[in-house]
Coordinates of all heavy atoms in Angstrom, one line a residue:
Y58 N 16.9 -8.8 13.7 CA 16.6 -7.4 13.3 C 17.1 -6.4 14.3 O 16.7 -5.2 14.3 CB 15.2 -7.2 12.9 CG 14.8 -7.7 11.6 CD1 14.1 -8.8 11.4 CD2 15.4 -7.0 10.4 CE1 13.8 -9.3 10.1 CE2 15.1 -7.5 9.2 CZ 14.3 -8.7 9.0 OH 14.1 -9.2 7.8
S64 N 18.8 -9.6 4.9 CA 18.5 -9.2 3.6 C 17.0 -9.3 3.2 O 16.4 -10.3 3.8 CB 19.3 -10.0 2.6 OG 18.8 -9.9 1.3
N65 N 16.5 -8.5 2.4 CA 15.1 -8.7 1.9 C 14.9 -10.0 1.2 O 13.7 -10.4 1.0 CB 14.7 -7.5 1.1 CG 14.5 -6.2 1.9 OD1 14.3 -6.2 3.1 ND2 14.7 -5.1 1.2
L66 N 15.9 -10.6 0.7 CA 15.8 -11.9 0.1 C 15.1 -12.9 1.0 O 14.4 -13.9 0.6 CB 17.2 -12.5 -0.3 CG 17.9 -11.7 -1.4 CD1 19.3 -12.2 -1.6 CD2 17.1 -11.7 -2.7
L67 N 15.2 -12.7 2.3 CA 14.6 -13.6 3.3 C 13.1 -13.6 3.2 O 12.4 -14.6 3.4 CB 15.1 -13.3 4.7 CG 14.7 -14.2 5.8 CD1 15.3 -15.6 5.6 CD2 15.2 -13.7 7.1
H68 N 12.5 -12.4 2.9 CA 11.1 -12.2 2.8 C 10.5 -13.0 1.7 O 9.5 -13.6 1.8 CB 10.7 -10.8 2.7 CG 11.1 -9.9 3.9 ND1 11.2 -8.6 3.9 CD2 11.3 -10.3 5.2 CE1 11.5 -8.1 5.0 NE2 11.6 -9.2 5.9
S69 N 11.2 -13.1 0.6 CA 10.8 -13.9 -0.6 C 10.7 -15.3 -0.2 O 9.8 -16.1 -0.6 CB 11.7 -13.7 -1.8 OG 11.6 -12.3 -2.2
M70 N 11.8 -15.8 0.5 CA 11.8 -17.2 0.9 C 10.7 -17.6 1.8 O 10.0 -18.6 1.7 CB 13.2 -17.6 1.6 CG 14.3 -17.5 0.6 SD 14.3 -18.9 -0.5 CE 14.7 -20.2 0.5
I71 N 10.4 -16.7 2.8 CA 9.3 -17.0 3.7 C 8.0 -17.0 3.0 O 7.1 -17.9 3.2 CB 9.3 -15.8 4.8 CG1 10.5 -15.9 5.7 CG2 7.9 -15.9 5.7 CD1 10.6 -14.8 6.7
F72 N 7.7 -16.0 2.1 CA 6.5 -16.0 1.3 C 6.4 -17.2 0.4 O 5.3 -17.9 0.5 CB 6.5 -14.7 0.3 CG 5.3 -14.6 -0.6 CD1 4.3 -13.9 -0.2 CD2 5.3 -15.3 -1.8 CE1 3.2 -13.7 -1.1 CE2 4.3 -15.2 -2.7 CZ 3.2 -14.4 -2.3
N73 N 7.3 -17.6 -0.3 CA 7.3 -18.8 -1.2 C 7.0 -20.1 -0.4 O 6.2 -20.9 -0.9 CB 8.5 -18.9 -2.1 CG 8.7 -17.8 -3.1 OD1 7.7 -17.1 -3.4 ND2 9.9 -17.5 -3.5
R76 N 3.5 -20.0 1.1 CA 2.5 -20.3 -0.1 C 2.5 -21.7 -0.5 O 1.4 -22.3 -0.7 CB 3.0 -19.4 -1.2 CG 2.2 -19.6 -2.5 CD 2.9 -19.1 -3.7 NE 4.1 -20.0 -3.9 CZ 5.2 -19.6 -4.6 NH1 5.2 -18.4 -5.2 NH2 6.2 -20.5 -4.8
L89 N -2.3 -20.5 -6.9 CA -1.5 -19.6 -6.1 C -0.1 -19.5 -6.4 O 0.7 -18.6 -6.0 CB -1.7 -19.9 -4.6 CG -3.1 -19.6 -4.0 CD1 -3.2 -20.2 -2.6 CD2 -3.4 -18.1 -4.0
K90 N 0.4 -20.6 -7.1 CA 1.8 -20.7 -7.5 C 2.3 -19.5 -8.4 O 3.4 -19.1 -8.4 CB 2.1 -21.9 -8.3 CG 2.2 -23.2 -7.4 CD 3.6 -23.3 -6.8 CE 3.9 -24.7 -6.2 NZ 5.2 -24.8 -5.6
K91 N 1.3 -18.8 -9.0 CA 1.7 -17.7 -9.9 C 2.0 -16.5 -9.1 O 2.5 -15.5 -9.7 CB 0.6 -17.5 -10.9 CG -0.7 -16.8 -10.3 CD -1.7 -16.4 -11.4 CE -2.8 -15.6 -10.8 NZ -3.8 -15.1 -11.8
Y92 N 1.7 -16.5 -7.8 CA 2.0 -15.3 -7.1 C 3.4 -15.3 -6.4 O 3.7 -16.3 -5.8 CB 0.9 -15.1 -5.9 CG -0.4 -14.7 -6.4 CD1 -1.4 -15.7 -6.8 CD2 -0.8 -13.4 -6.4 CE1 -2.6 -15.3 -7.2 CE2 -2.1 -13.0 -6.9 CZ -3.0 -13.9 -7.2 OH -4.2 -13.6 -7.6
D93 N 4.1 -14.2 -6.6 CA 5.5 -14.1 -6.0 C 5.4 -13.0 -5.0 O 4.5 -12.2 -5.0 CB 6.5 -13.8 -7.1 CG 6.7 -15.0 -8.0 OD1 6.8 -16.1 -7.5 OD2 6.8 -14.8 -9.2
Y94 N 6.4 -12.9 -4.2 CA 6.5 -11.9 -3.2 C 6.7 -10.5 -3.9 O 7.4 -10.3 -4.8 CB 7.7 -12.1 -2.2 CG 7.8 -11.1 -1.2 CD1 6.8 -10.9 -0.2 CD2 9.0 -10.3 -1.1 CE1 7.0 -9.9 0.7 CE2 9.1 -9.3 -0.2 CZ 8.1 -9.1 0.8 OH 8.2 -8.2 1.8
L95 N 5.9 -9.5 -3.4 CA 6.0 -8.1 -3.9 C 6.7 -7.3 -2.8 O 6.0 -6.9 -1.8 CB 4.6 -7.6 -4.1 CG 3.7 -8.4 -5.1 CD1 2.2 -7.9 -5.1 CD2 4.3 -8.4 -6.5
P96 N 7.9 -7.0 -3.0 CA 8.7 -6.3 -2.0 C 8.2 -4.9 -1.6 O 8.3 -4.5 -0.5 CB 10.1 -6.2 -2.5 CG 10.2 -7.2 -3.6 CD 8.8 -7.4 -4.1
G97 N 7.5 -4.2 -2.5 CA 7.1 -2.9 -2.3 C 5.6 -2.8 -2.0 O 5.0 -1.7 -2.0
F98 N 4.9 -3.9 -1.7 CA 3.5 -3.8 -1.5 C 3.1 -3.3 -0.1 O 2.4 -2.3 0.1 CB 2.9 -5.2 -1.7 CG 1.4 -5.2 -1.4 CD1 0.5 -4.5 -2.2 CD2 0.9 -5.8 -0.3 CE1 -0.9 -4.5 -1.9 CE2 -0.5 -5.8 0.1 CZ -1.4 -5.2 -0.8
A99 N 3.5 -4.0 1.0 CA 3.1 -3.6 2.3 C 4.2 -2.9 3.1 O 5.3 -2.8 2.7 CB 2.7 -4.9 3.1
I100 N 3.7 -2.2 4.2 CA 4.7 -1.6 5.1 C 4.3 -2.1 6.5 O 3.2 -2.6 6.8 CB 4.6 -0.1 5.1 CG1 3.2 0.4 5.5 CG2 5.0 0.5 3.7 CD1 3.0 1.9 5.7
I169 N 8.9 -7.0 11.5 CA 9.4 -6.9 10.2 C 9.2 -8.2 9.4 O 9.0 -8.2 8.2 CB 10.9 -6.6 10.2 CG1 11.1 -5.2 10.9 CG2 11.5 -6.5 8.8 CD1 12.5 -4.8 11.2
F170 N 9.2 -9.3 10.1 CA 8.9 -10.6 9.5 C 7.5 -10.7 9.0 O 7.1 -11.6 8.3 CB 9.1 -11.8 10.5 CG 10.6 -12.1 10.7 CD1 11.1 -12.2 12.0 CD2 11.4 -12.3 9.7 CE1 12.5 -12.5 12.2 CE2 12.8 -12.7 9.8 CZ 13.3 -12.8 11.1
S171 N 6.6 -9.8 9.4 CA 5.2 -9.8 9.0 C 5.0 -9.3 7.6 O 3.9 -9.4 7.0 CB 4.3 -9.1 10.0 OG 4.6 -7.7 9.9
L172 N 6.0 -8.7 7.0 CA 5.8 -8.2 5.6 C 5.4 -9.3 4.6 O 4.5 -9.1 3.8 CB 7.1 -7.5 5.2 CG 7.4 -6.1 5.9 CD1 8.8 -5.6 5.5 CD2 6.3 -5.1 5.6
P173 N 6.2 -10.4 4.6 CA 5.7 -11.5 3.7 C 4.3 -12.1 4.1 O 3.5 -12.5 3.2 CB 6.8 -12.6 3.9 CG 7.5 -12.3 5.1 CD 7.4 -10.8 5.3
E174 N 3.9 -12.0 5.4 CA 2.6 -12.5 5.8 C 1.5 -11.6 5.2 O 0.5 -12.1 4.7 CB 2.5 -12.6 7.3 CG 1.2 -13.1 7.8 CD 1.1 -13.2 9.3 OE1 2.1 -13.0 10.0 OE2 0.0 -13.6 9.8
M175 N 1.7 -10.3 5.3 CA 0.7 -9.4 4.7 C 0.5 -9.6 3.2 O -0.5 -9.6 2.7 CB 1.1 -8.0 5.0 CG 0.9 -7.5 6.5 SD 1.2 -5.8 6.8 CE 3.0 -5.8 7.0
T176 N 1.7 -9.8 2.6 CA 1.6 -9.9 1.1 C 1.0 -11.2 0.7 O 0.2 -11.3 -0.2 CB 3.1 -9.9 0.5 OG1 3.7 -8.7 1.0 CG2 3.1 -9.8 -1.0
L177 N 1.3 -12.3 1.5 CA 0.6 -13.6 1.2 C -0.9 -13.5 1.4 O -1.7 -14.0 0.6 CB 1.3 -14.7 2.0 CG 0.7 -16.1 1.8 CD1 0.9 -16.6 0.4 CD2 1.4 -17.1 2.8
S180 N -2.4 -11.7 -1.4 CA -2.3 -12.5 -2.6 C -3.4 -13.6 -2.6 O -4.0 -13.8 -3.7 CB -0.9 -13.1 -2.8 OG 0.0 -12.1 -2.9

Side-chain angles (χ1 to χ4, degrees):
Y58 281 107
S64 162
N65 288 335
L66 295 171
L67 188 60
H68 294 161
S69 295
M70 291 291 289
I71 294 171
F72 177 94
N73 293 340
R76 177 201 62 200
L89 290 172
K90 281 278 191 182
K91 73 174 186 177
Y92 288 88
D93 293 317
Y94 180 62
L95 302 172
F98 176 70
I100 62 173
I169 299 174
F170 284 129
S171 65
L172 292 173
E174 181 175 358
M175 287 185 276
T176 309
L177 181 59
S180 298

